[in-house]
Amino acid sequence: MSSRTDSGLDVHNPAAAYGFDASYRGSPPNWDIGRPQRAFVHLAEAGRIGSRVIEVGCGTGELSLFLARRGHEVLGVDVAPSAIERARAKARWRRIPAQFLAWDALRLDDLGVRADTVVDSAMLHCLGPAERERAVEAIRRTLRPGGRYYLLCDARADGAAATWASLSRAEIRELFGPDDGWSLSFVFDTGFERRGSRSPAFLVGARRRE
């Protein structure tokens, strides 16, 4: 996957890290379960993941490494440099050819990379409303026409008070409307696994319109 990453350039936005970088310096955070979320395993096994993949908010890289081992060309990006360091170490130890880059997902399109699929295991739901719109547009610009974005996010009921790190079906429909260049393919009820717990979640599939 040719891009500015060929030069080894790492660009991240420390102001946007929201403390996540510190989360990866000690023991793994509770969302880092040592394997990909089951929802993405099922998507991969069903053949729904394209050949060129970008994972936004990749953390320590378990989903990216899983997909690369299956033969996908994968770039994982995360705003937390500590997470990227761990992901790169895992790739070396396991001899898996995934690439990792410290980068702000709100500027994903600035990388100059085009992808068939973008996967997101609980990154978008951590952003505020304006940042979500910026991230979704950057993702849309990065995808090839017809490309797919798959999002796993903690679920919140429509009409419930807004909380950090969750999305409602209404918010998802608003983010992925046809006027914004998307076709919303599905919103499935599922679960997001953490160490010792599991929370209700949505698996979202959206396609970039031609």
Side-chain angles (χ1 to χ4, degrees), residues 124-176:
L124 190 72
H125 77 185
C126 294
L127 304 178
E131 292 172 317
R132 288 175 200 154
E133 292 180 5
R134 287 178 58 194
V136 166
E137 177 58 16
I139 290 166
R140 190 191 68 81
R141 290 176 180 272
T142 298
L143 284 168
R144 293 174 174 162
R148 306 278 177 166
Y149 173 43
Y150 296 115
L151 163 68
L152 183 66
C153 63
D154 277 347
R156 187 175 75 252
D158 287 344
T163 59
W164 184 77
S166 65
L167 290 171
S168 68
R169 288 180 182 269
E171 288 171 324
I172 291 166
R173 288 192 296 268
E174 186 173 349
L175 282 168
F176 299 102

Side-chain angles (χ1 to χ4, degrees), residues 1-193:
M1 185 179 291
S2 62
S3 72
R4 298 181 193 180
T5 63
D6 293 339
S7 66
L9 177 67
D10 275 15
V11 178
H12 63 278
N13 181 359
Y18 300 120
F20 284 117
D21 191 54
S23 298
Y24 290 103
R25 292 178 189 164
S27 299
N30 70 354
W31 61 83
D32 188 347
I33 59 175
R35 56 176 171 78
Q37 295 282 330
R38 296 179 193 276
F40 289 108
V41 173
H42 296 327
L43 283 174
E45 290 175 345
R48 303 294 293 271
I49 308 292
S51 60
R52 291 191 168 191
V53 182
I54 296 176
E55 182 186 4
V56 291
C58 67
T60 64
E62 289 296 341
L63 175 55
S64 290
L65 294 165
F66 167 76
L67 294 174
R69 180 172 279 163
R70 290 179 61 91
H72 300 273
E73 188 176 354
V74 183
L75 170 64
V77 301
D78 199 289
V79 75
S82 294
I84 293 300
E85 289 174 9
R86 290 193 177 194
R88 288 172 173 165
K90 288 180 181 180
R92 289 194 300 271
W93 297 336
R94 301 178 193 179
R95 298 182 180 180
I96 299 175
Q99 292 182 288
F100 294 99
L101 184 69
W103 194 269
D104 188 350
L106 276 64
R107 298 176 47 236
L108 189 67
D109 50 331
D110 288 345
L111 280 174
V113 175
R114 302 303 293 275
D116 303 307
T117 305
V118 172
V119 292
D120 176 350
S121 186
M123 185 280 293
L124 190 72
H125 77 185
C126 294
L127 304 178
E131 292 172 317
R132 288 175 200 154
E133 292 180 5
R134 287 178 58 194
V136 166
E137 177 58 16
I139 290 166
R140 190 191 68 81
R141 290 176 180 272
T142 298
L143 284 168
R144 293 174 174 162
R148 306 278 177 166
Y149 173 43
Y150 296 115
L151 163 68
L152 183 66
C153 63
D154 277 347
R156 187 175 75 252
D158 287 344
T163 59
W164 184 77
S166 65
L167 290 171
S168 68
R169 288 180 182 269
E171 288 171 324
I172 291 166
R173 288 192 296 268
E174 186 173 349
L175 282 168
F176 299 102
D179 292 342
D180 297 312
W182 293 97
S183 294
L184 185 60
S185 302
F186 57 79
V187 182
F188 293 151
D189 292 311
T190 184
F192 184 81
E193 299 167 273

